[in-house]
Amino acid sequence: MANNDFPPAFIAQLKENQPPAWREAFAVLYPIAWQGAGHARWRLSDEDREEVAMEALAEVSRQISALKTWREISALTFVIARRRSISRLRTLLAQKRGSHTNATVSLEEIGDILQATEGMQAAGGLHELAGTVAGLIQGLGEPGATMVREFLQEGKSYQEIAELHGKPIGTVGTVIYRAIQQLKREVSRTPKLMKELQLYLRLLVV
Amino acid sequence: MNDHRLRILLDAGAQRWLTDAEETELSRLLEDPANREVLDRELGPLKHRFGALLDYHRARQAVEPKIPPARLEALLTGMTDRMAPSAPKVVPFRRWFGPVMAAAAIAACLTVVVWYQRPGPQSRTGGELAIPSAPTSVPGVATAPRTRGTFEFAVVATIASVRGAAEKTGSTLGPDWRVVPQENLASLRAWSTASLPASVTARVWVDEEAGKLRAMYRLADGTVAGICRATDGRQVDSTETVVGWYGSLSKGQGLQALPLREWQRWVNEFMTKAEQRMPAKRTGGVIAE
């Protein structure tokens, strides 16, 4: 099933809690939540990841009345799943250390922040900006694009990337530094959007 | 370490102005962990932000994995629970009774054709018709789409006594009960995701894969609802659970007549009792309908 934008009529059906619409929406949102619940830099078990994804979907269905577009819905799904997975990871780590510290971030907190900043509008911007960044990296050509993705998404070190591609570490550093400076320049052209997205980005970053 | 020199070389590299000698020098500098830390400090915040954006972009393209069918049903039934109306739900008369009856109603000079569907004892006899301008009744139309069903109690992938002794349609636990053994998890999945037959009132099982107790049951208005509860990491002793559930459900004689809230209370109580009987040690799978 293509992860396309659904039309307003479909969103209206979701708001009316029509089961067929939600059946389709959950089917499309689940892979998004699953992706949000995972990250190259941490590994939840598949069971935990599924649980996080389900929690995200349930939470989104509860917040549907505040959402206007499919982009907002998918962005919020991803954000909640990401934050939930971070919380779960912290909890697991705390348990492993025998700590009783509750390091989790509550969904209520996320909801409050979203509401306070009218962040739902930013969700559309998040989609646009993510597409822009992905396009710019794609435009770097190979192997630069792969190197940058490995650095940004997979958290690989300069040394690891250099060894993977058989390149000097200076070349890797230059490629990555150049790409990030280019991305920085690009997104700085839309400072208003960046400002609106600060909250989302902060929520997404560990 | 020379931060200044490192930055000059990086900036030159960003502009593609590095000579071979300078690139060699940059590589030499970056082999020093301290210098890599300088670069990380420079790129760190942006790295995380752009990484998150790329993750989101990738997630938007994702079509796998598919949502597990049982999970999807749990979400949908969970929504049904949330939507359970505390006030009467308005359903167009036409939709409820169909065009023929709607036409008959209009012919009978009913000026308001709105059907108030109220889960509970009222709806068993057809609910209430709101007819403010022409108070009358419609004999024969008040028939709720439901009948008293049985409680199938399907056990057990791993209990030998039940697997061997119980027949699939045998009423081994009581007059309204039947035990439906499942041979394996695949049959459990198929069984638990299938539609609730009209002849069955409730289906309850332990989803050991997800660590959840799940129940699917028919509301007074015919809607199939569901409820699930985490088992808090504990697994279920099959024999104990069977006994516990039977004890709970035995009190449910006449459950079909209960209104929605009573249904929910019963299911909650049912779940709680089942959970209380769960030991910490896992011994096998339990399936109950």
Side-chain angles (χ1 to χ4, degrees):
Chain A
M1 190 184 310
N3 194 3
N4 295 322
D5 282 343
F6 287 101
F10 183 81
I11 308 302
Q13 290 173 5
L14 295 180
K15 288 176 185 287
E16 292 169 3
N17 286 321
Q18 293 189 16
W22 273 109
R23 187 178 291 276
E24 187 173 359
F26 284 142
V28 176
L29 289 173
Y30 184 78
I32 296 177
W34 174 269
Q35 292 290 331
H39 193 280
R41 280 175 287 155
W42 68 80
R43 293 284 179 191
L44 289 178
S45 68
D46 281 357
E47 290 75 20
D48 280 333
R49 206 167 163 183
E50 181 178 320
E51 206 63 36
V52 165
M54 294 299 294
E55 289 169 3
L57 296 188
E59 183 60 24
V60 166
S61 72
R62 282 190 284 270
Q63 297 195 18
I64 189 63
S65 60
L67 303 172
K68 296 184 180 69
T69 67
W70 181 253
R71 290 182 178 186
E72 292 175 357
I73 294 169
S74 58
L76 188 63
T77 301
F78 181 83
V79 169
I80 292 175
R82 175 57 55 90
R83 295 306 299 177
R84 279 268 171 162
S85 69
I86 294 167
S87 297
R88 184 162 294 223
L89 183 77
R90 286 175 174 164
T91 304
L92 291 173
L93 290 174
Q95 288 171 350
K96 195 173 179 181
R97 288 195 299 264
S99 164
H100 299 291
T101 304
N102 183 1
T104 61
V105 179
S106 70
L107 282 175
E108 289 74 18
E109 183 182 349
I110 293 175
D112 290 345
I113 297 170
L114 290 175
Q115 191 174 10
T117 57
E118 297 177 357
M120 298 307 174
Q121 292 178 357
L126 180 68
H127 175 86
E128 300 295 339
L129 191 58
T132 301
V133 169
L136 285 172
I137 291 175
Q138 187 69 31
L140 294 174
E142 294 298 343
T146 301
M147 287 181 182
V148 173
R149 285 194 205 98
E150 287 169 347
F151 181 75
L152 295 177
Q153 284 187 279
E154 298 174 26
K156 286 191 167 60
S157 68
Y158 305 105
Q159 272 181 317
E160 287 174 321
I161 297 170
E163 288 168 11
L164 272 173
H165 294 272
K167 300 282 186 185
I169 193 170
T171 303
V172 171
T174 303
V175 167
I176 291 170
Y177 185 81
R178 183 192 302 140
I180 290 185
Q181 294 302 324
Q182 188 180 341
L183 293 172
K184 190 177 172 182
R185 278 196 302 277
E186 189 64 31
V187 298
S188 67
R189 291 177 188 171
T190 55
K192 184 172 180 296
L193 178 62
M194 277 304 288
K195 189 177 178 182
E196 288 177 347
L197 289 171
Q198 285 302 314
L199 168 69
Y200 266 86
L201 292 171
R202 187 167 66 80
L203 286 171
L204 290 170
V205 172
V206 182
Chain B
M1 182 186 69
N2 187 338
D3 281 10
H4 183 63
R5 180 62 180 162
L6 176 64
R7 198 171 299 276
I8 287 173
L9 290 174
L10 284 169
D11 285 338
Q15 302 297 324
R16 302 177 191 277
W17 291 342
L18 281 183
T19 64
D20 289 347
E22 286 171 330
E23 186 157 341
T24 303
E25 183 185 357
L26 178 59
S27 288
R28 186 176 50 77
L29 285 172
L30 287 178
E31 282 167 5
D32 182 346
N35 283 336
R36 289 203 297 273
E37 280 183 22
V38 172
L39 186 53
D40 277 338
R41 278 201 302 274
E42 174 85 16
L43 301 181
L46 290 171
K47 171 185 176 181
H48 293 317
R49 289 176 183 179
F50 289 133
L53 286 170
L54 286 175
D55 284 348
Y56 174 62
H57 182 75
R58 182 166 61 184
R60 284 271 302 179
Q61 318 298 320
V63 294
E64 295 285 346
K66 305 292 184 195
I67 185 169
R71 291 294 211 167
L72 178 58
E73 295 305 320
L75 276 171
L76 292 170
T77 51
M79 289 182 65
T80 304
D81 287 349
R82 284 206 312 277
M83 288 185 297
S86 55
K89 179 183 177 184
V90 178
V91 179
F93 184 90
R94 184 184 178 86
R95 192 194 306 170
W96 188 260
F97 290 110
V100 174
M101 190 59 74
I106 292 169
C109 300
L110 299 178
T111 56
V112 177
V113 284
V114 176
W115 175 258
Y116 287 91
Q117 177 194 355
R118 177 176 293 166
Q122 296 92 338
S123 65
R124 288 188 72 239
T125 56
E128 299 168 352
L129 276 175
I131 312 169
S133 61
T136 182
S137 63
V138 184
V141 301
T143 305
R146 57 195 303 271
T147 57
R148 165 76 177 177
T150 59
F151 296 92
E152 288 189 337
F153 202 30
V155 204
V156 168
T158 53
I159 296 181
S161 60
V162 176
R163 180 189 286 174
E167 295 181 1
K168 288 197 174 184
T169 56
S171 298
T172 56
L173 297 174
D176 293 327
W177 293 83
R178 56 178 176 170
V179 177
V180 184
Q182 302 288 338
E183 294 298 328
N184 51 49
L185 283 177
S187 66
L188 166 62
R189 290 193 198 100
W191 173 84
S192 62
T193 55
S195 299
L196 194 66
S199 60
V200 176
T201 300
R203 167 189 296 163
V204 185
W205 72 99
V206 176
D207 181 354
E208 289 198 344
E209 293 173 291
K212 296 276 178 68
L213 283 165
R214 300 187 190 281
M216 188 182 290
Y217 54 97
R218 196 177 306 282
L219 301 179
D221 65 354
T223 306
V224 175
I227 189 169
C228 72
R229 175 176 296 172
T231 58
D232 195 24
R234 295 174 298 175
Q235 300 300 330
V236 179
D237 177 87
S238 301
T239 308
E240 285 295 313
T241 305
V242 169
V243 173
W245 283 352
Y246 175 57
S248 296
L249 289 168
S250 294
K251 299 175 182 175
Q253 301 294 330
L255 276 173
Q256 198 90 7
L258 293 177
L260 173 64
R261 289 186 184 284
E262 290 298 317
W263 257 108
Q264 290 177 325
R265 187 179 306 132
W266 176 80
V267 171
N268 276 319
E269 182 183 349
F270 171 80
M271 291 292 201
T272 302
K273 287 186 177 179
E275 279 188 322
Q276 287 170 350
R277 290 175 180 275
M278 286 192 300
K281 185 179 177 183
R282 176 177 184 162
T283 57
V286 176
I287 308 158
E289 183 173 35

